[in-house]
Amino acid sequence: GPGEALRQLQGQTQPVDKAQALLLLNQRVAEALATLKLSTGADGLLPFLLLVMIRIQPEHLVSCLHFLTRCRRKSAMRGEYA
């Protein structure tokens, strides 16, 4: 589920793997919301994503996001990865 996808982010060392883990997290949250018949748009997704992060309390989440921001090439990051 979403919690496991968030935990996978911590074990990744390559930027593309971290980006894929974040994409997987997004997909798992959307699946959970769809199962509950709730909105899977940004208005429904963001609060649930924040709830998952608060409950899981992943270590070094901010540094992971900074790492991705520093390492990404704008030309390579398109669509869901951007």
Side-chain angles (χ1 to χ4, degrees):
E4 184 58 35
L6 186 56
R7 285 184 197 98
Q8 286 180 7
L9 175 65
Q10 302 303 317
Q12 304 302 328
T13 58
Q14 299 297 316
V16 70
D17 296 332
K18 286 187 180 287
Q20 288 173 345
L22 283 174
L23 182 58
L24 178 64
L25 172 61
N26 184 55
Q27 291 169 345
R28 295 294 185 258
V29 168
E31 289 168 4
L33 290 173
T35 300
L36 298 171
K37 299 186 190 285
L38 298 172
S39 170
T40 58
D43 289 340
L45 196 66
L46 185 59
F48 194 77
L49 182 60
L50 292 173
L51 178 64
V52 169
M53 289 183 190
I54 289 168
R55 293 217 173 197
I56 301 296
Q57 296 183 356
E59 294 181 21
H60 314 295
L61 178 63
V62 173
S63 64
C64 285
L65 295 175
H66 283 283
F67 176 71
L68 275 173
T69 302
R70 285 191 316 268
C71 293
R72 76 178 182 140
R73 288 188 332 215
K74 292 189 190 233
S75 62
M77 298 291 219
R78 298 176 191 247
E80 293 178 320
Y81 286 116

